[in-house]
Amino acid sequence: MICIECGAKYLDGPSRYWCDRCNGLLEVVFDLEMLSADISLSWKKRPLGVWRYSELLPVRDPRTVISLGEGGTRLYHCDRLGSAIGLKRLFVKNEGDNPTGSFKDRGMTVGVSKAIELGMKYTICASTGNTSASLAAYSAKAGLKCVVLIPEGKIALGKIAQAIAYGARIVAIKGGFDDTMRLVKDICAVHPSVYLLNSINPHRLEGQKTIAFELVDQLKAVPDYVVVPVGNAGNISAIWKGFKELYNLGMIDELPKMVGIQAEGAAPLVKAFKKGWKRVEPVVDPKTKASAIRIGHPVNWKKALRAVKESKGLFESVSDEEILRAQWALASHEGIFIEPASAASIAGVIKLRDLGLLDGDELMVCIATGNGLKDPKYVLDNYEVRIVRISAELHKLREYLMELELSGNLKI
Ligand SMILES: *Cc1c(COP(=O)(O)O)cnc(C)c1O
Ligand SMILES: [Zn+2]
């Protein structure tokens, strides 16, 4: 591992989450020249999924891998939504297909396997929901005790239900996500048998970079834009790292532009990017209904700013209203139901089009980070619910169908 701030190098060994010298973020690096030239041939023999790419994952012994069959998520060509918003080649990668319903599983299969390799007894994370659901599941499969810290009262119904069912020990903290994150870092600094599995853990990001590998395998091309909802900014950094590795291996000869989307009330990276700052100013009380990206002080801000700049991409923000409409638009045009944070990516694409930054022919991929069923209460609270009541008589139902025929289609 290498420190992205001061360049200090660390051999794979005891658990380490930040640089001993300067507290900087760490990154896993592979000696790409040591890899055999034909790893892509081995990849073709394995099913699509995280472990297809094992040569580029930091786990030494395949027998210690803890897997629930993560990755291999579907990629949809959204032609109906695309033509409604003037984009011919709009694709959605549905990470809601993963075992616990979010992309976090890609990171956790690697991270929890690492916990086993290192002989850890406990796993821990701070979470707005999906991290705890995923860590709880992988810890259960590994036989490790899992402790999750959640900001009290701020976590979606489906996610807390998952953490409970998978048997995590749940601690509610009075405060926001950023407070719980600080606490988790502090406990892991003094407690060596507790393994930290937030996205500050560089091994977790290694699993998540496989989104890039799968996209290239599924599209047989490199997208022009990859649009990612951003909270702690680990995922956008990981996906960019994945593309760069393929590029450095000579497997692709272009790179996508990375676009990070934040919610207006929780957009420290958007602000830093637009002002050309070298660092972010934390948002003290972040506000958005998209709880998975309600983050005021993104742990991986530095990696993410670098990813977006290197790729010549951008950061943009969207309102809660735009997120709501985007979730509805995707579900009602394409039959894909994603959670609010994920819909920020669709809202982001619509915004780029409105800003005149797209000509309509670009190969666009939105990363739909989590399943819509995670947050059912959001739909019930925010949609105009259209349920009509009639008595159980045929003529009533026929009247209803006649009215329906007269009414127009819903518009975006
Ligand atoms: C975790 C999560 C995000 C944010 O990912 P980061 O790596 O923290 O930027 C976005 N959407 C969903 C559904 C998530 O679970
Ligand atoms: Zn350092």
Side-chain angles (χ1 to χ4, degrees), residues 103-104 130 229-235 292-293 339 341-342 369-370:
F103 73 83
K104 300 295 198 296
N130 283 331
V230 170
N232 270 306
N235 207 33
I293 52 172
E339 69 166 278
S342 311
T369 43

Side-chain angles (χ1 to χ4, degrees), residues 3 5-6 8 19 21-22 24:
C3 169
E5 302 275 354
C6 75
C19 178
R21 246 201 261 162
C22 76

Side-chain angles (χ1 to χ4, degrees), residues 178-243:
D178 301 298
D179 302 305
T180 61
M181 185 66 235
R182 185 170 30 81
L183 212 50
V184 165
K185 281 166 81 173
D186 290 349
I187 190 76
C188 290
V190 295
H191 212 312
S193 61
V194 183
Y195 198 52
L196 191 168
L197 273 163
N198 281 98
S199 59
I200 194 173
N201 183 323
H203 293 109
R204 221 190 88 181
L205 298 187
E206 291 303 292
Q208 292 170 208
K209 76 186 177 185
T210 58
I211 290 178
F213 301 165
E214 288 186 12
L215 279 176
V216 171
D217 278 346
Q218 288 173 306
L219 288 166
K220 305 201 168 36
V222 177
D224 294 312
Y225 290 87
V226 178
V227 187
V228 190
V230 170
N232 270 306
N235 207 33
I236 191 167
S237 314
I239 297 170
W240 175 240
K241 184 172 191 279
F243 280 111

Side-chain angles (χ1 to χ4, degrees), residues 37 56 61 88 111 120 127 145 193 200 214 228 253 370:
L56 289 179
D61 184 350
K88 295 194 194 78
M120 294 287 169
S127 175
K145 285 207 175 84
S193 61
I200 194 173
E214 288 186 12
V228 190
D253 46 23

Side-chain angles (χ1 to χ4, degrees), residues 161-344:
Q162 287 180 292
I164 295 169
Y166 295 132
R169 319 293 154 104
I170 301 167
V171 186
I173 304 291
K174 293 194 180 74
F177 172 83
D178 301 298
D179 302 305
T180 61
M181 185 66 235
R182 185 170 30 81
L183 212 50
V184 165
K185 281 166 81 173
D186 290 349
I187 190 76
C188 290
V190 295
H191 212 312
S193 61
V194 183
Y195 198 52
L196 191 168
L197 273 163
N198 281 98
S199 59
I200 194 173
N201 183 323
H203 293 109
R204 221 190 88 181
L205 298 187
E206 291 303 292
Q208 292 170 208
K209 76 186 177 185
T210 58
I211 290 178
F213 301 165
E214 288 186 12
L215 279 176
V216 171
D217 278 346
Q218 288 173 306
L219 288 166
K220 305 201 168 36
V222 177
D224 294 312
Y225 290 87
V226 178
V227 187
V228 190
V230 170
N232 270 306
N235 207 33
I236 191 167
S237 314
I239 297 170
W240 175 240
K241 184 172 191 279
F243 280 111
K244 276 203 307 188
E245 284 177 2
L246 294 184
Y247 186 85
N248 291 335
L249 282 162
M251 292 182 179
I252 55 177
D253 46 23
E254 287 164 290
L255 288 164
K257 291 187 169 66
M258 301 301 297
V259 178
I261 306 293
Q262 294 196 295
E264 261 169 26
L269 274 158
V270 180
K271 192 170 173 197
F273 179 79
K274 291 196 173 173
K275 301 212 161 180
W277 293 345
K278 294 235 170 352
R279 48 188 324 109
V280 301
E281 188 181 284
V283 172
V284 176
D285 185 16
K287 286 196 171 58
T288 167
K289 288 181 185 164
S291 55
I293 52 172
R294 190 189 294 137
I295 309 283
H297 189 21
V299 172
N300 289 295
W301 65 267
K302 191 141 203 174
K303 286 184 177 177
L305 268 186
R306 193 183 63 179
V308 165
K309 279 185 193 155
E310 275 179 13
S311 76
K312 304 187 177 63
L314 60 117
F315 279 104
E316 191 51 80
S317 62
V318 291
S319 68
D320 274 13
E321 181 63 32
E322 288 167 325
I323 289 175
L324 177 65
R325 289 166 67 87
Q327 182 196 48
W328 168 79
L330 185 69
S332 63
H333 286 73
E334 300 290 343
I336 305 171
F337 179 32
I338 65 180
E339 69 166 278
S342 311

Side-chain angles (χ1 to χ4, degrees), residues 66-113:
I66 306 295
S67 173
L68 294 167
E70 49 293 316
T73 55
R74 281 167 284 200
L75 180 69
Y76 294 91
H77 181 200
C78 296
D79 50 347
R80 289 196 72 229
L81 178 61
S83 69
I85 63 176
L87 297 172
K88 295 194 194 78
R89 296 192 292 160
L90 175 64
F91 287 80
V92 165
K93 184 145 174 78
N94 188 8
E95 289 295 297
D97 273 351
N98 276 297
T100 78
S102 83
F103 73 83
K104 300 295 198 296
D105 294 345
R106 294 180 184 271
M108 290 307 176
T109 182
V110 175
V112 173
S113 300

